[in-house]
């Protein structure tokens, strides 16, 4: 299935492969055949993941099949010519590491060096340099595994925490690229390492990673349920929590709010966002502790995103354009810009929508290129353009791979 197919065309293609009429498929998702016909013909834009998940379930396919993922990670100076397959090999390697003991063949990487390399990789992710992150993780994860095996006692537990956070980053990156199964593998292996670390901060962080991986697979209800479990785990520590644990706690709630929105559970969205708001007030201002980018701004970003997932366009248009995101990392700013572009597009503000994405592309070209939302929006604009599309839109479509 090529990326040149629209979401509607993919639905029609899979529907025919399943031998279903429009009446039958529409009935399975509680809609009319006329609605489905308009979706397949591109007369109605479908971008809500909750609805796409219903259709995917009815067709017995994955959500990724409908949104054309995974994305091919381009070769860059940062990544070289070894990208996701190299990371896959690392994640599938069950040689000595967590849970094993063996004599190291070389001196293990120091705990200080692991910290520095982990910070470099996470910082690169937040700057949306995905090729660089992929290359760094392919070397960092094996070195962290070796350190876990080589050290004893507290040092081994600390190394396990570093390894867990490297796996967390791998899962986060892979969800961005649509590598659903591989992201789940990274999250699971990260949770194993987190438990060995015996560190509530690390365990809480990996619970959030599992939630994101579940959402990547379209398991929204399960991801929201996992958030309840994460909060129950962290709650006993919150009475004396410092800023870092408060950030981990709040970010877990934000991940859960997106899962609940995609599951169309408004009550849980409100509860999670209210909890995150209280955590942000406790923190006082925006911070990036443990690479969470947590604070009042990130809570507001999620209010916009959850509003769009719930179909509350006016809420998103009221809050989104007024939000100052200059104080949060690039990845967060650009993610908000994509959501704002979606809101403009749904409101038929066809000048503001592409302008917002083009501005975001200047800050983070890789993120715009690989996010399903930017690809979907650009493809929709190209297909529904009256007359010849503007050159800037055609060139953007080529860059994001939907020309």
């Amino acid at each position: 299935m090529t990326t040149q197919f629209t979401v509607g065309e993919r639905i029609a293609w899979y529907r025919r492969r399943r031998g279903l009429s429009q009446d039958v498929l529409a009935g399975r998702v509680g809609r009319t055949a006329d609605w489905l016909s308009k979706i397949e013909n591109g007369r109605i834009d479908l971008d809500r993941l909750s609805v796409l998940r219903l259709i995917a379930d009815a067709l017995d396919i994955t959500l990724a099949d409908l949104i054309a993922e995974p994305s091919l990670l381009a070769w860059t100076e940062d990544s070289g010519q070894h990208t996701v397959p190299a990371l896959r090999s690392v994640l599938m390697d069950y040689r000595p590491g967590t849970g094993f003991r063996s004599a190291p063949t070389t001196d293990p990487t120091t705990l200080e060096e692991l910290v520095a390399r982990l910070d470099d990789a996470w910082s690169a992710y937040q700057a949306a340099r995905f090729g660089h992150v992929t290359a760094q993780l392919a070397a960092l994860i094996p070195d962290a595994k070796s350190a876990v095996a080589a050290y004893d006692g507290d040092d081994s537990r600390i190394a396990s925490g570093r390894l867990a956070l490297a796996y967390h980053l791998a899962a986060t990156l892979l969800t961005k690229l649509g590598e659903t199964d591989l992201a789940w593998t990274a999250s699971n292996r990260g949770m194993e390492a987190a438990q060995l670390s015996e560190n509530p901060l690390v365990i809480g962080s990996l619970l959030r990673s599992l939630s994101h991986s579940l959402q990547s697979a379209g398991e929204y209800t399960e991801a929201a349920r996992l958030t309840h479990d994460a909060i129950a785990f962290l709650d006993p520590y919150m009475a004396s929590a410092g800023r870092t644990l408060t950030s981990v706690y709040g970010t877990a709630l934000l991940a859960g709010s997106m899962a609940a929105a995609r599951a169309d559970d408004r009550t849980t969205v409100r509860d999670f966002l209210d909890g995150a708001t209280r955590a942000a007030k406790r923190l006082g201002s925006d911070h990036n502790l443990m690479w969470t980018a947590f604070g009042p701004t990130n809570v507001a970003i999620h209010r916009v995103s959850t509003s769009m997932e719930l179909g509350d366009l006016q809420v998103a248009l009221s809050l989104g354009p007024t939000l100052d995101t200059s104080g949060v990392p690039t990845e967060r700013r650009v993610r908000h810009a994509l959501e704002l572009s979606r809101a403009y597009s749904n409101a038929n503000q066809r000048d503001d929508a592409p302008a917002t994405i083009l501005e975001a592309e200047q800050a983070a070209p890789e993120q715009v290129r690989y996010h399903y939302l930017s690809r979907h929006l650009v493809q929709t604009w190209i297909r529904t353009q009256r007359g010849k599309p503007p050159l800037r839109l055609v060139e953007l479509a080529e860059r994001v791979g939907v020309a």
Side-chain angles (χ1 to χ4, degrees):
M1 187 70 65
T2 70
T3 55
Q4 276 65 44
F5 280 37
T6 65
V7 169
E9 288 168 341
R10 291 187 201 103
I11 291 171
W13 190 87
Y14 283 112
R15 176 180 60 77
R16 289 191 290 267
R17 288 292 299 269
R18 292 300 188 196
L20 300 177
S21 67
Q22 288 182 334
D23 282 322
V24 171
L25 179 58
R28 290 187 176 186
V29 296
R31 304 292 180 123
T32 66
D34 180 62
W35 174 86
L36 181 60
S37 176
K38 289 177 180 177
I39 292 294
E40 292 184 352
N41 292 325
R43 286 179 286 165
I44 295 179
D45 186 22
L46 181 58
D47 60 10
R48 290 183 61 192
L49 291 178
S50 58
V51 181
L52 287 171
R53 171 59 198 272
L54 288 176
I55 295 173
D57 285 348
L59 291 169
D60 191 30
I61 59 176
T62 69
L63 177 65
D65 290 325
L66 288 186
I67 60 178
E69 290 188 334
S71 301
L72 178 65
L73 186 61
W75 290 337
T76 66
E77 290 185 8
D78 281 340
S79 69
Q81 296 185 10
H82 298 283
T83 56
V84 173
L87 188 53
R88 178 181 289 108
S89 295
V90 166
L91 293 174
M92 296 300 180
D93 182 6
Y94 278 85
R95 286 176 293 181
T98 303
F100 298 90
R101 289 285 170 185
S102 65
T105 56
T106 60
D107 290 337
T109 304
T110 66
L111 297 177
E112 291 76 13
E113 184 180 347
L114 288 178
V115 171
R117 290 169 63 185
L118 194 60
D119 185 66
D120 173 74
W122 269 102
S123 297
Y125 169 78
Q126 292 189 324
R129 296 170 56 202
F130 295 163
H132 177 80
V133 177
T134 305
Q136 294 302 307
L137 286 172
L140 175 58
I141 290 174
D143 286 349
K145 285 177 63 179
S146 296
V148 171
Y151 292 125
D152 293 302
D154 287 344
D155 285 349
S156 182
R157 283 187 284 273
I158 292 171
S160 292
R162 305 290 181 254
L163 174 60
L165 294 172
Y167 278 130
H168 181 175
L169 177 54
T172 301
L173 172 68
L174 291 164
T175 58
K176 279 285 191 292
L177 300 176
E179 294 281 357
T180 302
D181 293 341
L182 203 55
W184 179 249
T185 297
S187 289
N188 267 296
R189 303 201 81 182
M191 180 53 72
E192 293 172 3
Q195 289 170 335
L196 288 177
S197 78
E198 301 177 10
N199 186 335
L201 283 169
V202 177
I203 295 172
S205 187
L206 267 294
L207 286 168
R208 174 166 57 97
S209 174
L210 286 170
S211 174
H212 282 141
S213 293
L214 284 168
Q215 291 186 61
S216 179
E219 299 294 336
Y220 304 130
T221 300
E222 190 62 31
R225 186 178 298 118
L226 177 63
T227 300
H228 285 295
D229 293 340
I231 298 311
F233 168 78
L234 291 171
D235 268 338
Y237 302 96
M238 290 307 296
S240 58
R243 294 189 306 170
T244 303
L245 184 57
T246 300
S247 297
V248 170
Y249 182 88
T251 310
L253 284 165
L254 293 182
S257 73
M258 290 301 297
R262 289 163 176 167
D264 210 22
D265 183 349
R266 291 175 177 270
T267 299
T268 302
V269 171
R270 184 190 64 240
D271 291 345
F272 284 163
L273 285 177
D274 286 350
T277 299
R278 290 191 293 271
K281 287 181 178 178
R282 179 174 177 173
L283 200 62
S285 59
D286 294 325
H287 293 274
N288 193 27
L289 300 167
M290 210 164 173
W291 313 287
T292 56
F294 184 70
T297 302
N298 207 355
V299 175
I301 287 172
H302 280 76
R303 287 195 183 279
V304 174
S305 295
T306 53
S307 295
M308 288 302 299
E309 291 295 340
L310 291 168
D312 296 336
L313 177 60
Q314 291 308 312
V315 174
L317 285 173
S318 174
L319 175 60
T322 66
L323 186 56
D324 179 7
T325 61
S326 60
V328 297
T330 299
E331 184 274 334
R332 290 285 81 208
R333 295 201 310 272
V334 171
R335 181 64 183 87
H336 175 66
L338 295 182
E339 206 66 76
L340 189 56
S341 180
R342 171 160 67 152
Y344 286 144
S345 184
N346 287 359
N348 205 31
Q349 296 177 220
R350 287 300 182 92
D351 290 331
D352 292 331
T356 302
I357 280 192
L358 286 166
E359 184 178 351
E361 188 188 28
Q362 294 297 313
E366 288 186 76
Q367 185 174 354
V368 170
R369 176 175 183 171
Y370 298 121
H371 201 285
Y372 87 91
L373 191 52
S374 53
R375 298 198 309 270
H376 171 77
L377 288 171
V378 173
Q379 188 174 57
T380 299
W381 300 333
I382 288 285
R383 293 295 186 92
T384 60
Q385 188 79 29
R386 292 181 179 179
K388 187 176 180 180
L391 179 60
R392 66 171 187 163
L393 188 54
V394 172
E395 291 174 341
L396 177 59
E398 291 174 348
R399 292 193 297 273
V400 301
V402 296

